[in-house]
C-alpha cells in the first residue's frame, strides 16, 4: 500500500435535509452530518473528529443517537442499495459495529431512525407513499417485524420510540399518525385515527403516554394514549425588528392618505405566509418548536385549561455581513436538539447553518424575545467554486455560489473573515502576503484588500464571468481568464501586460511555475499549454481532444504537469507529451494537487473521495482512498510546508487533512513555521476607533468622578447608618444581657426541680419493676398448672376417641352384612319378575304379528281404492293443467306487454322528473329574476320620479327660453343686415381675385419658358459631366502608367554600370510602353480634345451671360411677387375673420331655429283652430324669408370654398417661383400647371 497517509483534522460544512441531523453526545460535544459521514465537534476545545461513511456512499440520509449516547445509527445508500450502519462511539476512532440489510425490504433508504430506551432495538421508516416501518434487534442483525404504512401522498416521515416502552413505536407523516406495539413477532396498530387527516411534519414524546405533533398548517396537536387531548394553532411570527419597522410605518401612514395605507396593507399581506411546524423537540419543562422561518418557540406546562403555554421566542440573528440581512434571519429550522443537561439548544437550518442558544439565560432575561448565536461560525450553503492559500499566513480563501467569500485559518480551525456580495463568485486567489485577494464575480473581477474586520474592494476590472484567476508566486503579477484569453496584469500598476491567446475551449485551470517565468493552462478541448511569460508565446503544448481537462498541477521544478479530466485517468505530461497514464478504476478525477517536495500526489474524485499516492505514480491500486465529501471535489491545494491538504467540494464542505509521508523525510518541515501577524486597516477605521477611544476615555473619567462622588455620598450615608446601628446594637446587647441573666437564674431553678423529679421517678420505677416481677412469677406458676391439667385431659380424650373408633368399626361391619343379605333377597325377587315379563312379551309378539297381517290386508285394499281414485283425479288435473297452460301463455304475453308499458312509464317518469328538476331550476331562476325585476321596478319608479322632477325643471327653463325668444328674433334681423353688408364686401374681393388670377396666368407662361431653358442647360451640363468623368479616368490611367514606368525606370537605373543590361532594359521599356499606333492616335486625340474643349467653353460662356440677364429679370419678378404675396396675406386675414364671424352667426341662427320650433309646437298645441288660421299667413311669410336666408348662406359658403382653393393654388405657385430662380429643376410644376388649365 501507499506510504502517504491523510487524516482529517477539521471539517467546515453541514449536510442539509438529514433527519435528526444534529444531536448532542455530551454537554459540550455536538454531532452533525457533514460530507458523506458525521462530525463530532467540541464547543469549547474546538476539536473536530470525523466519522467517515461507507465506501461508495452517496451521503447520510438519517441519523439517530442511542439514549445512553454510546451508539450512532446512520442511514445511507450504497451502490443503489439502502444500508443501515451502527457505530460504537465509545471507541476511538468510532468503530463500525453492525450493518443491517434485509432482502425482504424494498430497495429504498430509511428516512428516519430511532433507538429504543434500552438501546437494544432500532426502528427505521422508509419514505411514503410506499412506506415501511421496520423493527430490528440490531446487535444480532435480525429483522423482528416489518409493516407497510399506507399514506395518501409523499412527504416528511418520522419515527420514534416511547421514552419508557421498548415495544411502543410512533410514526407520523402526510395524512397519518400511528402508534404500533410489538408483540409476538408482529407490529400491531393500537390507535384509531379520527377526524380529518393532517400532514404531520414532526413529533416528539413528552411522557410515556403524551405525543406532541406539528402540522403544515401551524397546528400543535397533543395525543394522549393515541387520543386527541389538546390542540392549538400558532400564528405566523414576525421578528421584533420587523414589528418595530411596521410600527414606524403605521405611525407614518396614519398621517398619510388612506390609499397609501391600503397599499402598505397589501404589501404586508403578500409578505406574510402561512405558519408550519417544521421541527419539535421535548425537554423537562415542556417542548420547543419552530412555527415560522427563523424562530423557535418554547412552550411550558401549565395547570389551567391550556395544557402548554408559550413562554419564549428565540430568533435567528441577522447577518450584518450578508447582502440580504433580513433573509439571513429567515431560514427554515429543520432540526432542534437539547444537551443532556438542557443548558444548550442547537438548531440546524435549510441553508446548512448551525446555531446555539444557552437555556439558563432565559430565566434571567426579562424580554420575551431572545437570539441564537452561531455554533462556531457561518458555513457555505452552496457549491464551493474557488480555493487558494498564501505563504505569509496559515489561511485559505474560499468562494462559493452562495455569493460569499470567506477566509479560514487552518491552524486554529476558525473563520477569520467573511462577506456576502450581490453576485455569484466563481474563483478566488490569495496574494502571497495574505493581505489581498482576487475574486472573479459574474459581472467583474475585483481586487480586494483583506482588512482587520472587513473586505474592501480596491480595484475592479471589466472581466465578466472570470472562472479562473491566480497570483504569481512573487505576487507582482496575476492572471485572469477572460473567455478564451488569459490576461496578465501587474499587481502594482494594474496594467494589462500581456494577453495569452490560443485556447479554443473554456479554460478550467491555470498554474504558475515557482520562478514565475512559466505559466501552464488547460481547457475543455483537451489542450494543455505551457507559456513563456518573458516572450508571451507558447513554448509547448499537449492536445488530446477526447479529454475535457478539469484540473492541473505543476511540480516544483515546473518540468512535470499532472492533469486530470473526463477520461478517468491521471496524466503525467512532460516535454509536450504524455509520459504516463494512471487509470482511475471506475471514477472520474476532478482535481489534482502535488506536494512541494514532489513525493506525494493527491486527487479528488467525482464521488467526493480523496486518493493519496506516492510519486512515481503507481499503475495498480497502490493508493489510500478516504471517504470525505458528498459531492464532486472542485478544488485541492497543499500548503507550502506539505503538512496540510485542503479540499473543497460541490456540497459546500471544506476538509483540512494532516498529511504524513512515512518515507519522504517530512521531519524537516516539522519545525514551527513563523507566520506574519500584520493586518490591514483603513485610516478611517483607525480614526473612528481612536475617536471612539477618546470618547470612551472622557466617558470613563466622567464616570469615575460620578462614581467617586457617589462613593463619598454612600460612605457618609453608611457612616451614619453604622453609628445608628451601633447605638441600636449596644442598647439591644444591654437588654439581652439582662434577659440572659434572668433566664440563667430560671434555668438553675428548673434544673433543681428536674433533679428532684428524676429521683422520685427513679424510685417509683424501681418499685413498679419489683411488683411486675412478682406478678409475672405468680402468673407463670398458674399457667404451668393449667398446662399440666390440660395435658391430662388430652390423654383422657385420646383414650375415649380410640374406644369410640373401635366401636364404630364393629357397628360398620355388622351393617354391611345386613345390607348384603337384604339386597340378595331383592335380587332373587327381581329375577323371578323378569322371567314372568319375558313370557308376557312372547305372547304379545304373537298377537302383534296377527294384528299386523290383518292391517296389511286392509291397507292393500285401501291403496287400490285410493289409486283408482287418484288416477281419475290425475286425468282431471291434466286436462285442467292444459287449460291453465293456455291461460298462462296468454297471461305471460300480457305480463310482457305490461312490463314494457312499465318500463316506458318509468322512462316517462324519469323524463318527467328531469323536466320537473329543470322546471324547478327555471322556477328558482325566474323567482330570482322576479326579485331582480321587482328591485329594478322600484329603482325605475325612483328614476321616474327623478325624471318627472327634471321635466318640471325643464318646463320652467322652457318658459324662460320663450322670454328670450323675442330678444333673439330681433338680433337675427340685425345679423341679416350685417350679412348683406358683408356680401357687398365679398363681391369687391371677388373682383380683386379675378385681376390677380390674370396676373398669375402671365407669371405661369413666363415660368414655363424659363423651365424649358433650364432643362436644356441641365442636359448640356450632364454631357459636360460625362466628358469630365472620362477625362479623369484617362488621367488616372496615365498616372498609373507613369508610376509603373517610373518603377521600371528605377529598376533600370540599377544596371547603369552594365551597359548591355542597361540597353536591353531600355529596349524592353520601349517595347512595353511605346507603340506607333498609340503615338499617332494620341496626337490626333489631343487636337480633337482641344477643339472640343474650346467649343464647349464658348457655349458655356454664352449660356452664362444669358442666365445673368434672366437672373436680373427674375429679381424684378420677385419684387412683384412679394407685393402680391403681401396683398394675399392681408386678404387671407380678412377671410379668416369673416369665417369666424360666419361661424358665430351660424351657431346663433341654429339656436334661434331650435327655439322657434319649440315655440311653434307649443303654440300649435295651446291655440285653437281659428287663432291658428289668423296667424297662418305671417308664419308662411316668415318661413319664406328663412328659406331665402338659408340659400344665401349656402351661396356664400360655396364662394368661400372657391376662394380658399384659389388661395392655396397661388400659395403653391409662390412657393415654387423662388426655387425656379435658383436653377433647380422641379418636375411637379408642370403637373400643377396642367391641373390649373383643366
Amino acid at each position: 500500500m501507499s506510504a502517504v497517509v491523510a487524516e482529517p483534522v477539521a471539517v467546515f460544512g453541514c449536510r442539509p435535509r438529514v433527519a435528526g441531523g444534529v444531536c448532542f453526545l455530551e454537554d459540550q460535544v455536538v454531532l452533525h452530518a457533514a460530507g458523506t459521514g458525521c462530525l463530532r465537534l467540541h464547543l469549547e476545545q474546538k476539536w473536530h473528529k470525523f466519522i467517515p461513511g461507507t465506501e461508495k456512499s452517496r451521503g447520510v440520509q438519517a441519523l439517530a443517537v442511542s439514549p445512553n449516547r454510546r451508539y450512532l445509527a446512520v442511514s445511507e445508500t450504497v451502490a443503489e442499495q439502502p444500508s443501515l450502519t451502527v457505530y460504537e462511539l465509545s471507541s476511538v476512532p468510532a468503530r463500525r459495529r453492525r450493518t443491517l440489510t434485509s432482502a425482504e425490504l424494498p430497495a429504498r433508504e430509511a428516512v428516519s431512525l430511532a433507538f429504543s430506551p434500552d438501546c437494544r432495538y432500532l426502528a427505521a421508516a422508509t419514505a411514503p407513499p410506499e412506506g415501511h416501518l421496520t423493527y430490528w434487534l440490531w446487535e444480532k442483525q435480525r429483522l423482528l417485524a416489518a409493516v407497510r404504512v399506507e399514506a395518501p401522498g409523499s412527504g416528511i416521515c418520522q419515527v420514534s420510540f416511547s421514552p419508557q416502552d421498548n415495544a411502543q413505536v410512533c410514526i407520523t407523516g402526510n395524512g397519518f399518525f400511528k402508534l404500533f406495539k410489538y408483540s409476538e413477532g408482529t407490529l400491531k396498530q393500537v390507535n384509531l385515527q379520527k377526524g380529518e387527516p393532517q400532514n404531520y411534519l414532526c413529533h416528539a414524546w413528552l411522557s410515556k403516554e403524551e405525543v406532541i405533533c406539528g402540522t403544515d398548517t401551524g397546528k400543535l396537536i397533543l395525543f394522549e394514549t393515541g387520543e386527541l387531548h389538546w390542540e392549538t394553532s400558532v400564528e405566523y411570527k414576525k421578528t421584533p425588528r420587523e414589528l418595530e419597522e411596521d410600527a414606524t410605518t403605521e405611525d407614518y401612514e396614519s398621517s398619510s392618505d388612506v390609499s397609501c395605507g391600503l397599499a402598505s396593507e397589501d404589501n404586508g399581506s403578500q409578505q406574510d405566509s402561512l405558519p408550519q411546524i417544521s421541527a419539535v423537540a421535548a425537554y423537562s419543562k415542556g417542548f420547543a418548536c419552530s412555527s415560522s422561518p427563523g424562530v423557535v418557540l418554547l412552550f411550558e406546562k401549565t395547570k389551567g385549561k391550556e395544557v402548554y403555554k408559550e413562554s419564549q421566542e428565540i430568533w435567528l440573528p441577522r447577518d450584518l455581513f450578508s447582502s440580504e440581512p433580513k433573509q439571513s434571519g429567515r431560514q427554515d429550522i429543520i432540526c432542534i436538539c437539547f444537551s443532556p443537561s438542557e443548558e444548550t439548544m442547537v438548531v440546524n437550518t435549510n441553508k446548512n447553518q448551525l446555531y446555539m442558544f444557552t437555556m439558563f439565560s432565559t430565566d434571567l432575561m426579562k424580554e420575551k424575545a431572545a437570539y441564537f448565536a452561531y455554533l462556531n461560525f457561518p458555513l457555505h450553503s452552496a457549491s464551493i467554486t474557488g480555493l487558494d492559500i498564501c505563504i505569509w499566513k496559515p489561511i485559505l480563501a474560499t468562494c462559493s455560489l452562495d455569493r460569499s467569500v470567506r477566509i479560514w485559518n487552518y491552524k486554529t480551525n476558525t473563520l477569520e473573515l467573511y462577506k456576502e456580495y450581490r453576485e455569484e463568485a466563481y474563483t478566488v486567489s490569495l496574494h502571497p502576503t495574505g493581505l489581498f485577494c482576487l475574486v472573479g464575480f459574474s459581472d467583474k473581477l475585483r481586487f480586494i484588500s483583506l482588512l482587520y474586520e472587513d473586505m474592501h474592494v480596491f480595484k475592479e476590472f471589466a472581466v465578466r464571468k472570470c472562472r479562473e484567476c491566480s497570483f504569481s508566486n512573487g505576487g507582482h503579477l496575476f492572471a485572469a481568464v477572460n473567455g478564451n484569453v488569459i490576461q496578465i496584469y501587474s499587481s502594482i500598476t494594474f496594467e494589462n501586460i500581456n494577453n495569452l491567446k490560443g485556447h479554443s475551449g473554456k479554460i478550467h485551470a491555470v498554474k504558475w511555475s515557482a520562478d514565475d517565468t512559466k505559466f501552464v493552462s488547460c481547457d475543455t478541448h483537451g489542450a494543455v499549454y505551457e507559456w513563456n511569460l518573458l516572450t508571451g508565446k507558447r513554448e509547448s503544448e499537449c492536445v488530446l481532444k477526447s479529454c475535457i481537462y478539469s484540473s492541473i498541477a505543476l511540480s516544483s521544478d515546473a518540468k512535470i504537469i499532472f492533469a486530470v479530466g473526463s477520461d478517468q485517468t491521471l496524466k503525467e505530461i512532460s516535454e509536450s507529451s504524455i509520459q504516463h497514464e494512471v487509470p482511475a478504476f471506475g471514477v472520474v478525477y476532478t482535481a489534482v494537487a502535488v506536494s512541494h517536495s514532489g513525493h506525494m500526489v493527491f486527487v479528488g474524485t467525482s464521488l467526493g473521495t480523496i486518493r493519496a499516492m506516492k510519486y512515481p505514480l503507481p499503475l495498480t491500486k497502490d493508493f489510500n482512498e478516504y471517504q470525505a465529501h458528498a459531492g464532486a471535489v472542485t478544488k485541492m491545494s497543499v500548503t507550502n510546508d506539505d503538512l496540510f491538504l485542503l479540499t473543497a467540494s460541490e456540497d459546500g464542505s471544506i476538509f483540512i487533512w494532516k498529511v504524513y509521508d512515512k518515507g519522504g523525510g517530512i521531519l524537516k518541515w516539522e519545525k514551527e513555521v513563523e507566520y506574519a501577524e500584520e493586518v490591514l486597516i483603513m485610516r478611517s477605521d483607525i480614526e473612528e476607533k481612536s475617536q471612539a477611544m477618546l470618547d470612551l476615555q472622557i466617558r470613563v473619567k466622567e464616570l469615575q468622578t460620578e462614581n467617586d462622588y457617589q462613593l463619598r455620598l454612600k460612605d457618609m450615608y453608611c457612616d451614619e447608618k453604622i453609628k445608628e446601628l451601633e447605638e441600636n446594637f449596644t442598647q439591644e446587647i444591654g437588654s439581652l444581657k439582662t434577659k440572659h441573666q434572668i433566664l440563667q437564674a430560671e434555668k438553675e431553678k428548673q434544673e433543681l426541680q428536674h433533679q428532684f423529679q428524676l429521683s422520685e421517678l427513679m424510685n417509683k420505677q424501681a418499685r413498679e419493676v419489683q411488683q411486675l416481677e412478682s406478678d409475672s412469677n405468680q402468673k407463670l406458676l398458674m399457667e404451668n398448672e393449667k398446662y399440666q391439667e390440660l395435658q391430662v385431659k388430652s390423654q383422657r380424650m385420646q383414650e375415649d376417641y380410640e374406644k369410640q373408633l373401635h366401636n364404630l368399626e364393629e357397628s360398620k361391619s355388622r351393617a354391611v352384612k345386613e345390607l348384603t343379605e337384604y339386597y340378595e333377597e331383592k335380587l332373587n325377587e327381581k329375577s323371578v319378575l323378569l322371567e314372568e315379563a319375558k313370557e308376557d312379551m312372547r305372547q304379545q309378539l304373537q298377537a302383534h304379528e296377527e294384528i299386523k297381517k290383518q292391517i296389511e290386508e286392509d291397507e292393500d285394499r285401501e291403496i287400490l281404492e285410493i289409486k283408482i281414485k287418484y288416477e281419475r283425479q290425475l286425468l282431471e288435473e291434466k286436462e285442467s293443467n292444459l287449460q291453465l297452460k293456455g291461460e298462462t301463455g296468454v297471461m305471460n304475453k300480457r305480463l310482457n306487454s305490461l312490463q314494457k308499458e312499465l318500463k316506458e312509464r318509468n322512462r316517462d317518469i324519469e323524463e318527467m322528473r328531469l323536466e320537473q328538476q329543470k322546471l324547478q331550476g327555471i322556477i328558482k331562476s325566474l323567482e330570482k329574476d322576479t326579485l331582480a325585476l321587482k328591485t329594478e321596478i322600484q329603482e325605475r319608479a325612483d328614476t321616474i320620479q327623478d325624471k318627472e322632477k327634471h321635466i318640471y325643471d325643464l318646463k320652467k327653463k322652457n318658459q324662460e327660453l320663450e322670454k328670450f325668444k323675442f330678444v333673439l328674433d330681433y338680433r337675427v334681423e340685425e345679423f341679416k343686415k350685417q350679412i348683406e353688408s358683408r356680401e357687398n364686401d365679398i363681391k369687391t374681393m371677388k373682383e380683386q381675385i379675378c385681376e390677380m388670377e390674370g396676373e398669375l396666368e402671365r407669371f405661369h407662361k413666363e415660368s414655363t419658358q424659363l423651365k424649358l431653358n433650364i432643362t436644356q442647360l441641365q442636359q448640356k451640363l450632364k454631357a459636360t459631366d460625362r466628358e469630365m468623368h472620362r477625362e479623369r479616368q484617362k488621367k488616372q490611367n496615365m498616372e498609373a502608367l507613369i508610376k509603373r514606368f517610373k518603377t521600371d525606370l528605377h529598376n533600370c537605373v540599377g544596371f547603369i554600370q552594365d551597359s548591355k543590361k542597361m540597353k536591353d532594359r531600355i529596349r524592353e521599356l520601349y517595347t512595353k510602353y511605346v507603340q506607333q499606333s498609340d503615338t499617332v492616335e494620341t496626337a490626333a486625340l489631343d487636337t480633337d480634345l482641344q477643339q472640343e474643349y474650346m467649343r464647349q467653353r464658348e457655349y458655356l460662356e454664352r449660356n452664362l451671360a444669358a442666365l445673368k440677364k434672366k437672373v436680373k429679370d427674375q429679381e424684378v419678378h420677385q419684387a412683384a411677387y412679394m407685393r402680391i404675396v403681401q396683398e394675399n396675406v392681408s386678404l387671407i386675414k380678412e377671410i379668416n375673420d369673416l369665417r369666424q364671424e360666419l361661424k358665430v352667426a351660424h351657431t346663433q341662427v341654429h339656436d334661434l331655429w331650435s327655439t322657434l320650433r319649440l315655440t311653434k309646437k307649443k303654440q300649435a298645441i295651446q291655440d285653437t283652430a281659428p287663432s291658428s288660421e289668423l296667424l297662418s299667413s305671417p308664419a308662411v311669410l316668415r318661413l319664406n324669408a328663412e328659406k331665402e336666408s338659408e340659400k344665401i348662406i349656402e351661396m356664400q359658403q360655396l364662394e368661400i370654398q372657391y376662394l380658399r382653393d384659389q388661395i392655396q393654388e397661388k400659395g403653391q405657385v409662390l412657393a415654387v417661383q423662388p426655387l425656379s430662380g435658383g436653377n433647380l429643376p422641379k418636375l411637379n410644376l408642370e403637373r400643377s400647371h396642367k391641373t390649373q388649365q383643366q
Side-chain angles (χ1 to χ4, degrees), residues 642-884:
D642 285 350
L643 287 177
F644 294 99
L645 169 69
L646 314 171
T647 61
S649 169
E650 288 179 355
D651 65 352
S653 62
I654 302 160
F655 276 68
I656 298 171
W657 306 78
K658 184 87 171 177
V659 178
Y660 303 97
D661 183 5
K662 292 180 180 177
I666 203 165
L667 294 170
K668 65 180 181 180
W669 292 105
E670 289 183 356
K671 294 179 182 178
E672 190 66 32
V673 180
E674 292 183 0
Y675 290 109
E677 295 292 332
E678 291 82 9
V679 293
L680 294 176
I681 191 163
M682 299 283 284
R683 190 187 295 275
S684 59
D685 293 342
I686 293 170
E687 288 172 357
E688 284 176 6
K689 286 185 178 178
S690 59
Q691 187 63 40
M693 283 172 71
L694 287 170
D695 295 339
L696 289 167
Q697 284 172 359
I698 293 160
R699 181 67 180 154
V700 165
K701 287 177 182 177
E702 289 174 356
L703 287 169
Q704 280 178 349
T705 53
E706 285 179 7
N707 286 329
D708 291 337
Y709 177 67
Q710 292 289 333
L711 281 168
R712 283 174 192 166
L713 289 173
K714 282 182 179 178
D715 288 339
M716 290 168 67
Y717 178 71
C718 290
D719 290 337
E720 289 175 358
K721 278 277 185 186
I722 287 162
K723 284 178 183 178
E724 288 177 3
L725 289 167
E726 281 178 352
E727 289 174 358
N728 292 328
F729 279 124
T730 50
Q731 289 174 4
E732 286 178 3
I733 286 162
S735 62
L736 287 168
K737 279 179 180 178
T738 54
K739 281 181 183 178
H740 179 67
Q741 288 172 1
I742 294 160
L743 289 167
Q744 202 164 3
E746 286 179 358
K747 182 190 169 189
E748 288 173 356
K749 285 179 184 178
Q750 284 179 359
E751 280 179 353
L752 290 167
Q753 287 177 2
H754 283 303
Q755 285 177 0
F756 179 69
Q757 287 174 359
L758 266 170
S759 62
E760 285 181 352
L761 285 167
M762 291 293 284
N763 293 327
K764 191 177 180 181
Q765 190 181 7
R767 279 190 237 112
E768 286 177 356
V769 165
Q770 287 176 1
Q771 284 178 359
L772 285 166
E773 282 179 357
S774 62
D775 293 336
S776 62
N777 287 327
Q778 286 176 1
K779 282 179 182 178
L780 277 168
L781 290 167
M782 293 284 286
E783 290 294 328
N784 196 3
E785 288 174 357
K786 284 179 181 177
Y787 175 70
Q788 287 175 357
E789 288 175 358
L790 287 166
Q791 200 170 5
V792 172
K793 279 183 182 179
S794 67
Q795 286 177 358
R796 286 177 191 164
M797 290 284 284
Q798 195 173 359
E799 289 173 357
D800 294 335
Y801 280 120
E802 284 176 356
K803 286 177 183 177
Q804 285 176 5
L805 275 167
H806 184 68
N807 294 328
L808 285 166
E809 283 178 359
E810 288 177 353
S811 62
K812 184 183 174 184
S813 60
R814 281 188 215 130
V816 167
K817 283 179 182 177
E818 289 173 357
L819 284 167
T820 51
E821 289 173 356
Y822 174 73
Y823 280 111
E824 281 176 357
E825 288 176 358
K826 274 197 172 186
L827 272 168
N828 293 323
E829 289 174 359
K830 291 286 179 186
S831 61
V832 172
L833 289 168
L834 262 169
E835 287 175 358
E836 290 176 356
K838 282 178 182 177
E839 286 177 359
D840 291 334
M841 195 175 77
R842 283 173 198 160
Q843 291 173 1
Q844 283 175 4
L845 277 167
Q846 288 174 358
H848 177 70
E849 284 176 359
E850 288 176 358
I851 292 160
K852 188 180 174 184
K853 284 177 183 177
Q854 288 175 0
I855 289 163
E856 283 176 355
E857 288 173 357
D858 294 335
E859 281 176 355
D860 288 335
R861 284 190 214 117
E862 286 175 2
I863 285 162
L864 286 167
E865 290 173 359
I866 290 162
K867 189 179 179 183
I868 292 158
K869 184 183 175 183
Y870 279 112
E871 280 176 355
R872 285 175 192 163
Q873 285 179 359
L874 249 172
L875 290 166
E876 290 171 359
E877 288 293 329
K878 279 179 181 177
E879 289 172 359
S880 63
N881 274 331
L882 289 168
Q883 289 176 359
L884 289 166

Side-chain angles (χ1 to χ4, degrees), residues 377-412:
F377 26 74
L379 305 167
H380 281 297
S381 61
S383 174
I384 296 170
T385 54
L387 181 146
D388 198 20
I389 57 171
C390 68
I391 299 169
W392 283 23
K393 296 183 180 183
I395 59 172
L396 68 141
T398 58
C399 65
S400 170
L401 295 179
D402 61 5
R403 303 180 295 182
S404 69
V405 179
R406 297 165 197 258
I407 308 297
W408 312 82
N409 191 316
Y410 57 81
K411 285 282 187 183
T412 59

Side-chain angles (χ1 to χ4, degrees), residues 46 52 80 96 162 194 256 264 275 381 525 554 574 617 645 712 744 763 788 795 869 909 1040 1059-1060 1122 1149 1169:
K46 306 295 182 185
E80 304 297 332
R96 186 174 296 165
S162 169
K194 296 177 182 178
S256 64
S264 66
S381 61
H525 288 180
L554 202 61
S574 64
L617 299 175
L645 169 69
R712 283 174 192 166
Q744 202 164 3
N763 293 327
Q788 287 175 357
Q795 286 177 358
K869 184 183 175 183
I909 287 158
S1059 59
K1060 285 183 180 179
M1122 288 301 290
V1149 167

